[in-house]
Amino acid sequence: MNRLGMIVDLSYASYGAALDVLRYSRAPVIFSNAGAYAINKHHLNVKEDVLIPLATQGGLIMITFDPEILGGYTIDNVLEHLNYLREVIGSDHIGVGSGFESFDSAIDGLKDVSMFPNMFNALQQGNNKKLLTACVIAVVITICAIVVPIAVVNSYDEAPKPRKFSGREVLDEVPLIDGHNDLPFSIYLVEKNLINHFNLDSNLKEHPVWSAENRSHTDLPRLRQGKLGAQFWVAYIRCADTQYKDAVARTLEQIDVTKRIIRKYPNDLKYADSADGIMEAYREKKLASLIAVEGGHSIDSRLAVLRLFYELGVRYLTLTHSCNTPWADASPVDEQVPVPSLNNLSAWGRHVIWEMNRLGMMIDISHVSYGVMRDVLAHSRAPVIFSHSSAHAVFEHHRNVQDDVLRELARKRGIVMVNFYPLFVGGNTIDDVIKHLNHIRSITGVDHIGLGGDYNGVAVTPEGLEDVSKYPDLFDMLADGVLRTGETFEPWTREDLQKLAGLNLLRVFREVERIRDSLVEEDPFEDLIPYEEFVRANVADQPCMTDMEMHKS
């Protein structure tokens, strides 16, 4: 079809087939009769992780008028799909493919081909002149894009070679989403959270105080160099210092300083708390800034605190840090000798993850024990994430993820965002990080991998990935398929790198939001953690806790 100059139409193709065609077609493709899945979850509509590569490859989606596919019977329903598509992929990739004569009922005001002006009038009244024009000409542009390049094929036997691309090109096509950055904790350590005179828009490597810290991996100039599209900023406080004491208050301070940093740089950072928010910031060429809490000690075994964190914008919670909570074990237990009595995820801990499912908060199982990983994957109603973990089979550290867990994670549609810390990676070069990425790809497939560099949370970074400016170098190497040592591996395709950069995380985030929306009628979990769980965890003596008696009843 590419050689002939015939347009490839993905309408009615399955989700998997659409992704495959986008991967292998040598020309732009179209959906001749479809809508947006995010607006109406119909199997003929197109999901965002298909729309983005469709647009980046110059393709087109032509909006249907079928009420069943659109999810309604008015012109407003058509406009809702058109406006959403314009927001996600831009007006250059939208057309009209009404589908008249293929369905029984019709849109009010768009009952036959004589009524097209009604739609264009509605677009014009809604100040959508650019979209109106695009709907008229986008088909011609796309057909030219399909036919003209094929004209260079001079032989029936010889296909054109695909253009060599640099991996960093992908970072201009989809948002690069990093799952874990500890800048807020660095601000606490260096600036005591006093930011009025702190300048993030400067090279902190040259700052007299910050340069002495081995945590100055992040500032706005280097974030721009690194082409970051979204960042989860972590509200972290040390469990060894704060658990069972002032953990909640200290965590609130870290959420507060994160929000103040975002507000201080409105031209560069944009607060986000949803998958749509990430894409909105990306379209505005700003860094989508999301908030995470690292460590279940921060909720003080109280579901009310968890709910309020969500209200404050927290979109994932790491269930433990390096300390056990009464309801979940941390990863160090996996290397303790003799083997301790394990709680894994307690009965009340299940209520924590079910409440996170209900809220739409992603469950992060970096830092947790092997047993907790298995329990969470068994009981969560939504996909889960590892925000900053690597592969145990490549380097046996308790913070890394075993292959059987990786397989189950993929089966449950989750994601592991690879950590760069040399202590966990088992080496101090970019090559070592790539070995983890390649191994995880071989186990889970490319749909379940992301990046969580752990910048500002570690004292040492790998050679070649010294700070947040270095992501483009990583993507170039993955596309080339060559390590610095000269060793070769299967190159990552453009589609692979788009998924690694951000499409995988967006898919997981959207699915967590979908589960949340399906549970809207479910009441909040109110169960108090039983006193017996404090006893079993050997932390029943709580002098700072004034309501322990209530947990005994």
Side-chain angles (χ1 to χ4, degrees), residues 336-377:
Q336 288 181 14
V337 179
V339 176
S341 174
L342 300 179
N343 290 322
N344 296 328
L345 185 71
S346 75
W348 190 81
R350 295 177 195 173
H351 292 180
V352 174
I353 66 168
W354 292 334
E355 185 67 350
M356 292 174 72
N357 293 157
R358 190 191 68 83
L359 289 169
M361 185 185 290
M362 287 184 284
I363 299 167
D364 176 21
I365 49 177
S366 287
H367 280 287
V368 305
S369 70
Y370 173 79
V372 173
M373 294 177 193
R374 299 291 308 182
D375 283 351
V376 170
L377 285 166

Side-chain angles (χ1 to χ4, degrees), residues 481-552:
V482 183
L483 299 178
R484 288 186 170 184
T485 61
E487 180 184 345
T488 61
F489 57 89
E490 181 186 351
W492 292 53
T493 67
R494 184 183 295 273
E495 182 193 26
D496 291 344
L497 293 177
Q498 288 175 338
K499 291 180 176 182
L500 173 72
L503 295 187
N504 286 340
L505 188 280
L506 283 170
R507 172 187 58 76
V508 171
F509 202 170
R510 290 193 187 284
E511 191 153 346
V512 169
E513 292 173 330
R514 182 184 64 78
I515 296 296
R516 172 201 64 196
D517 295 343
S518 73
L519 299 173
V520 69
E521 300 299 326
E522 183 174 278
D523 290 331
F525 285 84
E526 293 185 322
D527 307 68
L528 300 176
I529 183 170
Y531 176 70
E532 291 72 25
E533 295 204 5
F534 288 102
V535 173
R536 189 161 53 249
N538 296 314
V539 291
D541 183 17
Q542 293 294 333
C544 297
M545 190 171 176
T546 62
D547 61 351
M548 183 61 83
E549 290 300 317
M550 185 167 60
H551 294 267
K552 295 180 180 179

Side-chain angles (χ1 to χ4, degrees), residues 210-380:
W210 279 83
S211 61
E213 285 280 326
N214 289 329
R215 296 172 179 267
S216 58
H217 309 139
T218 308
D219 50 48
L220 289 179
R222 284 180 285 172
L223 286 166
R224 296 184 195 110
Q225 279 183 272
K227 296 180 175 288
L228 268 293
Q231 180 67 68
F232 282 87
W233 303 111
V234 178
Y236 163 71
I237 42 94
R238 292 190 184 107
C239 57
D241 301 335
T242 65
Q243 186 164 219
Y244 312 121
K245 298 174 186 174
D246 56 352
V248 174
R250 290 279 305 281
T251 303
L252 289 171
E253 289 179 339
Q254 295 312 111
I255 294 172
D256 169 72
V257 76
T258 304
K259 289 194 167 188
R260 288 191 290 124
I261 281 285
I262 296 168
R263 282 196 298 269
K264 187 174 180 178
Y265 299 97
N267 294 327
D268 296 281
L269 308 179
K270 184 179 178 68
Y271 173 73
D273 60 7
S274 65
D276 284 345
I278 291 174
M279 294 308 301
E280 182 179 337
Y282 181 67
R283 289 190 290 273
E284 295 178 16
K285 300 189 184 304
K286 296 179 182 179
L287 177 65
S289 294
L290 301 99
I291 301 173
V293 166
E294 185 178 20
H297 60 284
S298 287
I299 69 168
D300 196 31
S301 299
R302 300 175 191 273
L303 294 174
V305 175
L306 178 70
R307 287 188 282 271
L308 289 173
F309 280 172
Y310 186 84
E311 292 292 325
L312 290 172
V314 174
R315 287 303 177 264
Y316 79 67
L317 171 71
T318 315
L319 296 187
T320 73
H321 194 253
S322 56
C323 310
N324 297 339
T325 68
W327 44 274
D329 294 330
S331 66
V333 303
D334 292 333
E335 292 190 356
Q336 288 181 14
V337 179
V339 176
S341 174
L342 300 179
N343 290 322
N344 296 328
L345 185 71
S346 75
W348 190 81
R350 295 177 195 173
H351 292 180
V352 174
I353 66 168
W354 292 334
E355 185 67 350
M356 292 174 72
N357 293 157
R358 190 191 68 83
L359 289 169
M361 185 185 290
M362 287 184 284
I363 299 167
D364 176 21
I365 49 177
S366 287
H367 280 287
V368 305
S369 70
Y370 173 79
V372 173
M373 294 177 193
R374 299 291 308 182
D375 283 351
V376 170
L377 285 166
H379 293 289
S380 175

Side-chain angles (χ1 to χ4, degrees), residues 86 91-92 127-135:
R86 179 182 60 170
S91 55
D92 293 340
N127 197 28
N128 285 307
K129 292 182 179 178
K130 184 178 179 183
L131 178 56
L132 182 155
T133 305
C135 286

Side-chain angles (χ1 to χ4, degrees), residues 409-420:
L409 178 78
R411 197 176 74 81
K412 296 294 184 71
R413 297 179 54 77
I415 183 174
V416 55
M417 308 182 81
V418 171
N419 192 314
F420 300 167

Side-chain angles (χ1 to χ4, degrees), residues 130-149:
K130 184 178 179 183
L131 178 56
L132 182 155
T133 305
C135 286
V136 176
I137 67 173
V139 179
V140 176
I141 293 172
T142 301
I143 291 174
C144 289
I146 293 169
V147 174
V148 173

Side-chain angles (χ1 to χ4, degrees), residues 55-66:
T56 59
Q57 295 169 31
L60 178 75
I61 177 170
M62 308 177 78
I63 196 74
T64 183
F65 293 169
D66 185 335

